[in-house]
């Protein structure tokens, strides 16, 4: 598994939530394939809703784009009506699985421990888990950001022997879908905190290889400054990933970040 991510490739990821039919997904992905061309930098990942994953995987087959699922169950088969199997996601061609997005935590009552079990399932089935963490507005106001991040990471890693081949997505809950983006320095501080936690847990060398993505109101006009922060290795984008024009603009900003 550790070979899945060998270095921190910058990633632009779109989380489509409960939007886009399979046909809309395919048309969008075809446009993005021509925007990205053969450039692997940044890598582009799309998380369609589960019912569009099969066609999305077919649409990007043989390109540099990847597909992920927005959620998995910790079980891969069994009597779990309505759930999503990591094994089937992998068979269809997915590479990534979002784990513990704040909407899953808030609306579907997922706990840190659930996230830990799902990470293990994803890794066992050959998917790269993207563990979403982040503080609420109240926690941010009362200066608890670092404590919350440490707690979420510790609880998720406590469930079992987590392989360092994963992605952490820092998504401050107050920034998701609100238009209120974290200041680049503020986001960098949280990313550095996450990296520091990883260093203590898995050692310096492995911690350097874990990509930490930022999510929460990323748009074309704030992408460049965020992408230039040393510990921001990618974006998880909701609203602005629903338009191929704005996603392509963000992708280009991230592509130009080193210039
Ligand atoms: P947003 O969503 O970009 O619309 O804030 C981010 C997310 O939910 O992952």
């Amino acid at each position: 598994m550790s070979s899945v991510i060998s270095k921190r490739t910058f990633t632009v990821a779109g989380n489509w939530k409960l939007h886009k039919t399979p046909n809309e997904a395919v048309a969008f992905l075809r446009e993005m394939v021509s925007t990205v061309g053969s450039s692997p930098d940044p890598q582009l990942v799309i998380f369609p809703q589960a019912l569009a994953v099969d066609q999305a995987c077919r649409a990007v087959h043989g390109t540099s784009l990847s597909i992920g699922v927005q959620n998995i169950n910790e079980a891969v088969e069994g009597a779990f009506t309505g759930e999503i199997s990591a094994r089937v996601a992998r068979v269809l061609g997915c590479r990534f699985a979002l784990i513990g997005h704040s909407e899953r935590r808030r609306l579907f009552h997922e706990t840190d421990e659930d996230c830990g079990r799902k990470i293990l399932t994803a890794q066992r089935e050959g998917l790269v888990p993207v563990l979403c963490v982040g503080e609420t507005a109240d926690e941010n106001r009362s200066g608890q950001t670092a404590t919350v991040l440490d707690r979420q990471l510790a609880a998720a890693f406590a469930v079992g022997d987590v392989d360092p081949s994963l992605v952490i997505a820092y998504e401050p809950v107050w920034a998701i879908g609100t238009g209120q983006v974290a200041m680049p320095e503020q986001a960098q501080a949280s990313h550095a905190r996450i990296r520091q936690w990883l260093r203590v847990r898995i050692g310096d060398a492995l911690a350097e290889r874990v990509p930490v993505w930022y999510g929460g109101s990323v748009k074309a006009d704030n992408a460049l400054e965020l992408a230039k922060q040393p510990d921001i290795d990618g974006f998880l984008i909701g609203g602005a990933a629903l338009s191929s024009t704005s996603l392509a603009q963000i992708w280009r900003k991230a592509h130009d970040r080193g210039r």
Side-chain angles (χ1 to χ4, degrees):
M1 273 298 299
S2 304
S3 61
V4 173
I5 295 173
S6 52
K7 61 181 171 57
R8 275 153 58 190
T9 316
F10 201 95
T11 301
V12 170
N15 171 13
W16 283 348
K17 308 187 181 185
L18 202 51
H19 296 286
K20 297 201 189 291
T21 64
N23 285 347
E24 288 166 348
V26 168
F28 186 113
L29 289 164
R30 290 207 176 117
E31 275 187 61
M32 292 313 297
V33 166
S34 66
T35 300
V36 168
S38 57
S39 173
D41 179 21
Q43 80 168 328
L44 186 63
V45 182
I46 298 290
F47 294 88
Q49 59 174 303
L51 291 176
V53 156
D54 186 14
Q55 270 148 291
C57 285
R58 290 172 204 264
V60 304
H61 186 75
T63 75
S64 65
L65 277 68
S66 300
I67 301 297
V69 272
Q70 298 172 10
N71 176 36
I72 54 168
N73 191 279
E74 65 185 80
V76 292
E77 61 183 8
F80 302 102
T81 303
E83 288 300 289
I84 297 167
S85 164
R87 184 167 295 167
V88 174
R90 185 75 191 119
V91 165
L92 293 177
C94 286
R95 279 195 63 211
F96 295 88
L98 293 183
I99 310 274
H101 186 278
S102 71
E103 286 150 20
R104 300 287 324 162
R105 294 175 187 258
R106 183 167 50 88
L107 302 171
F108 303 100
H109 315 296
E110 284 185 15
T111 64
D112 290 325
E113 291 69 26
D114 292 331
C115 294
R117 286 188 290 271
K118 290 180 181 206
I119 289 173
L120 295 180
T121 300
Q123 294 189 325
R124 213 174 37 240
E125 297 301 322
L127 294 170
V128 178
V130 180
L131 172 67
C132 303
V133 295
E135 80 286 2
T136 63
D138 280 351
E139 290 164 340
N140 183 278
R141 269 193 295 274
S142 57
Q144 292 177 65
T145 300
T147 316
V148 170
L149 295 177
D150 288 1
R151 190 200 67 223
Q152 290 176 331
L153 291 166
F157 273 69
V159 169
D161 194 11
V162 172
D163 187 291
S165 206
L166 83 170
V167 175
I168 310 290
Y170 170 59
E171 297 210 299
V173 179
W174 49 270
I176 296 178
T178 59
Q180 209 190 329
V181 68
M183 298 299 288
E185 310 74 44
Q186 203 180 356
Q188 165 58 26
S190 294
H191 283 232
R193 176 76 187 198
I194 291 168
R195 183 96 51 216
Q196 181 53 29
W197 188 92
L198 291 168
R199 281 199 188 100
V200 173
R201 173 72 194 216
I202 58 176
D204 291 359
L206 289 174
E208 283 306 312
R209 287 166 46 170
V210 176
V212 185
W213 301 350
Y214 170 79
S217 296
V218 175
K219 306 266 182 302
D221 59 5
N222 56 34
L224 187 56
E225 284 312 308
L226 287 163
K228 284 183 169 169
Q229 302 303 312
D231 285 296
I232 296 186
D233 308 311
F235 297 137
L236 184 55
I237 308 159
L242 290 174
S243 140
S244 53
T245 310
S246 77
L247 189 61
Q249 284 169 348
I250 295 171
W251 186 87
R252 286 195 195 94
K253 301 269 181 186
H255 183 69
D256 292 343
R257 71 195 178 283
R259 297 193 180 157

